[in-house]
Amino acid sequence: MRVCQRSFELLAGSFYFLAIDNESFLSDHSFAMKHAHFGLAMLLLATGALAWTIQGGQTSEVSENFGGASARSTVGQEQTICTFSIVAYDPEQQEWGVAVASKFLAVGAVVPWAKAGAGAIATQSHANTSYGPKALELLSQGKSADEVIKLLTEEDPGKDVRQVGIVDSKGNTATYTGSKCMPWAGGKMGKHYACQGNILAGEAVVEDMAKAFEEAKGPLA
């Protein structure tokens, strides 16, 4: 966990956790503080998790012109931002969740996307925010996580600098890291979760994220 702690200190930015289920209410641009009762609480040094709850069938929204986890400044230059995230599914509670930590402020407005009954996505590293609504539409059509990542990246000329994690309606997961993402960059998948990050201290960051999630008990939020 020391590597995770070091990376979080380097990020020194913001952490958001979004969880949705089929019975929750819509909180539109107003956030409720919760603790992430699963492994991310340990991962991020027991910091409070900022949770968005979204009613079944509703979608978190963000402008496609927003900069993403690699934000565009007012002078058109791209700022390199280090980010790590997890997407996950709880089959008992029928919940889908996304959590992300980044040096990029208000990262929750860019990276996490989720829709009850469909799945969840984290789009980061020179983030293509169009991935969010496109992925949710494809997931709603019954596409698997693997199929969605393939469809998103094959038509994106910037796919080499993208990073994406997806969990679908059945809890299947997929993670993608472009070949030109800044090191260390990569991901790890397991049963009902996918972790991914870029500009990290090393592979141990995502390994420890996965370990923390696998060993944690309780609901996503």
Side-chain angles (χ1 to χ4, degrees):
M1 294 299 291
R2 278 182 244 174
V3 178
C4 285
Q5 179 175 350
R6 180 186 166 205
S7 291
F8 182 68
E9 289 170 348
L10 288 173
L11 292 173
S14 54
F15 167 55
Y16 290 92
F17 174 62
L18 179 150
I20 62 172
D21 57 43
N22 289 316
E23 298 179 354
S24 58
F25 62 93
L26 174 64
S27 179
D28 185 12
H29 301 295
S30 60
F31 310 121
M33 293 301 295
K34 288 187 179 180
H35 291 290
H37 290 208
F38 67 128
L40 290 170
M42 294 184 290
L43 169 68
L44 297 178
L45 314 177
T47 57
L50 191 58
W52 296 351
T53 52
I54 300 179
Q55 185 178 19
Q58 296 292 334
T59 304
S60 60
E61 297 182 355
V62 63
S63 168
E64 292 185 15
N65 294 323
F66 200 89
S70 177
R72 292 189 181 277
S73 70
T74 56
V75 293
Q77 297 179 337
E78 289 192 346
Q79 305 169 24
T80 301
I81 305 297
C82 36
T83 303
F84 55 91
S85 66
I86 181 171
V87 294
Y89 171 65
D90 182 345
E92 294 183 5
Q93 300 293 324
Q94 287 287 292
E95 291 180 339
W96 295 261
V98 191
V100 56
S102 179
K103 185 178 179 181
F104 179 69
L105 298 179
V107 68
V110 177
V111 174
W113 295 76
K115 183 178 180 179
I121 174 175
T123 173
Q124 58 201 48
S125 177
H126 296 266
N128 184 338
T129 53
S130 71
Y131 277 15
K134 287 179 180 178
L136 294 182
E137 181 180 355
L138 292 167
L139 290 169
S140 296
Q141 295 170 5
K143 302 289 187 184
S144 70
D146 280 325
E147 290 174 322
V148 172
I149 282 187
K150 181 179 179 181
L151 290 169
L152 291 176
T153 56
E154 67 182 7
E155 63 181 25
D156 182 3
K159 64 183 179 181
D160 288 345
V161 295
R162 313 294 189 208
Q163 191 169 53
V164 189
I166 296 179
V167 58
D168 62 30
S169 62
K170 298 178 181 178
N172 301 311
T173 59
T175 185
Y176 168 86
T177 298
S179 60
K180 295 183 180 178
C181 287
M182 295 188 68
W184 188 90
K188 180 179 176 62
M189 295 184 300
K191 186 177 182 180
H192 302 322
Y193 75 87
C195 304
Q196 47 280 318
N198 58 88
I199 322 179
L200 301 180
E203 184 176 1
V205 177
V206 291
E207 293 287 347
D208 283 350
M209 290 173 69
K211 184 174 183 290
F213 181 82
E214 291 172 354
E215 295 179 353
K217 305 296 182 183
L220 295 183

